Amino acid sequence: MSIGTGPSTDTLRQTLEAQLRQHSEDLAALTAAGADPGGTGEDPDTIATRAAAARRAIEEINAALSRVTAGTYGRCERCRNPIPDARLEILPHARFCVPCQARAS
Ligand SMILES: [Zn+2]
């Protein structure tokens, strides 16, 4: 295990792209379910909430992918300190370190 270098850019990209695919599939399924109310037996409000969450996740992941490209990935957008690897493992598209995230929300 390496310390301080984080996952390689390729690994990172693959992780983010896999998540992007997953969320896109979710969104497509939710959009289909939303277009056919009663078809799945799910509550339309629940479907709308989940679709909005999937859309937001897709935006976050796309933003993370551009940060990988720009070379700024893994840095807090607020204080510019490196985000700990442990946090990025849990939340690969994290934009802020834990203290800044706590302040932002
Ligand atoms: Zn920060």
Side-chain angles (χ1 to χ4, degrees), residues 7-64:
S8 77
T9 303
D10 284 350
T11 309
L12 203 58
R13 236 180 235 286
Q14 278 166 16
T15 305
L16 289 166
E17 276 166 4
Q19 290 193 349
L20 195 59
R21 258 195 310 277
Q22 182 64 54
H23 286 296
S24 301
E25 280 167 20
D26 285 354
L27 184 58
L30 289 163
T31 304
D36 179 23
T40 61
E42 278 196 75
D43 178 38
D45 287 345
T46 308
I47 293 171
T49 306
R50 288 176 57 202
R55 237 175 257 125
R56 205 160 38 235
I58 289 167
E59 281 172 22
E60 293 286 335
I61 295 163
N62 273 324

Side-chain angles (χ1 to χ4, degrees), residues 76 78-80 96-97 100:
C76 175
R78 185 168 294 208
C79 70
R80 303 282 153 197
F96 303 112
C97 65
C100 288

